[in-house]
Amino acid sequence: MLKLYIGNKNYSSWSMRPWVLLRQAGIAFQEVRVRFDSFQAGSQFKRSIAAVSPTGKVPVLEHGDLRVWDTLAIAEYLAETHADKALWPADPGARAHARSLCAEMHSGFGALRGSCPMNIEARLADTGALIWRDQAGVRANVQRLVDMWSALLQEHGGPMLFGAFSIADAYFAPVCMRLATYALPLPPHIADYVRRVQELPGVQAWIDDALAERDFLDFEEPYRLRPAAQG
């Protein structure tokens, strides 16, 4: 049985990628949630994850004695061990293209990731409007997404980036969540793709779990006040 170590579903964009890939592809796995409390050395999170991750980060995929701790490496391992699931596009050219885009996401889009942290339960349109006004890097990152996704949807005909669901869609799923949370301006056809990703059963399952967490972490939300006490 595969075992996937993840962080809080509301916040952990890197955890979301392999979890959605596994769930959407119908690959059985056991989820192990390691709650974020702090990312400082000596925190409970760091102590817990150190037993399985040499980097002290999530996600980590465990398969028997093997541990894989990078999202791209996890995706490649799953594609190799579950070839019947066709996780990458079948065409070699499209497959190379998909790998290139995932690598770009892995190392790029720093302005969008830094200014718009993933927060699934929040609706931060006002914050997003200020970010859009003031952060040229965010506008450039979103334009790159629009150009990239538009070309792929036109070339492959949708509904996903390479026609059928693939690793690329799982990889961009957290980006779709960011775009929705901060209500960043999108052309209608790109907004439709974001909606289709959110409606994938694997993504919807992650969203449902994230909404059920109700685990507010102020260090993950410096832009928002702590909710008022109830009762």
Side-chain angles (χ1 to χ4, degrees):
M1 171 68 74
L2 295 168
K3 186 181 292 185
L4 184 69
Y5 293 81
I6 63 170
N8 289 50
K9 289 182 177 175
N10 193 53
Y11 302 111
S12 186
S13 58
W14 291 107
S15 298
M16 184 180 185
R17 293 181 169 96
W19 194 99
V20 164
L21 181 62
L22 286 159
R23 184 67 174 264
Q24 186 65 25
I27 299 171
F29 70 102
Q30 178 186 350
E31 170 192 317
V32 181
R33 179 175 172 269
V34 185
R35 181 183 180 270
F36 293 157
D37 62 334
S38 167
F39 300 131
Q40 300 299 316
S43 67
Q44 183 61 49
F45 170 78
K46 288 295 187 181
R47 292 198 304 271
S48 298
I49 201 63
V52 294
S53 171
T55 64
K57 298 178 181 179
V58 287
V60 179
L61 182 72
E62 187 175 82
H63 192 189
D65 294 331
L66 175 68
R67 288 168 182 155
V68 188
W69 60 86
D70 177 88
T71 53
L72 276 177
I74 291 171
E76 291 287 7
Y77 181 73
L78 293 173
E80 290 178 357
T81 55
H82 297 80
D84 59 308
K85 300 296 185 179
L87 300 181
W88 288 117
D91 176 77
R95 188 161 62 249
H97 194 181
R99 284 187 165 118
S100 296
L101 297 179
C102 290
E104 181 181 350
M105 180 68 250
H106 194 273
S107 61
F109 297 92
L112 179 61
R113 294 204 309 238
S115 297
C116 302
M118 191 173 84
N119 188 337
I120 290 174
E121 68 85 19
R123 291 296 175 264
L124 300 170
D126 290 345
T127 302
L130 293 176
I131 291 169
W132 189 259
R133 183 193 70 186
D134 296 339
Q135 301 294 329
V138 172
R139 297 195 299 272
N141 283 176
V142 172
Q143 188 59 53
R144 170 61 184 143
L145 291 170
V146 169
D147 293 343
M148 173 200 303
W149 292 351
S150 296
L152 291 167
L153 292 169
Q154 182 175 3
E155 179 180 357
H156 298 284
M160 297 290 106
L161 294 179
F162 289 87
F165 172 81
S166 73
I167 290 170
D169 301 294
Y171 226 77
F172 284 107
V175 178
C176 292
M177 303 311 303
R178 286 180 163 98
L179 295 172
T181 292
Y182 296 89
L184 300 182
L186 299 172
H189 69 290
I190 297 300
D192 286 344
Y193 169 70
V194 169
R195 175 185 51 76
R196 291 196 297 272
V197 169
Q198 291 176 297
E199 292 174 351
L200 288 169
V203 175
Q204 190 60 59
W206 178 278
I207 293 171
D208 290 345
D209 289 350
L211 295 177
E213 279 180 345
R214 301 186 181 278
D215 188 13
F216 178 86
L217 301 176
D218 52 6
F219 67 89
E220 286 279 10
E221 303 196 28
Y223 41 79
R224 210 164 67 153
L225 297 176
R226 181 180 297 276
Q230 298 296 314

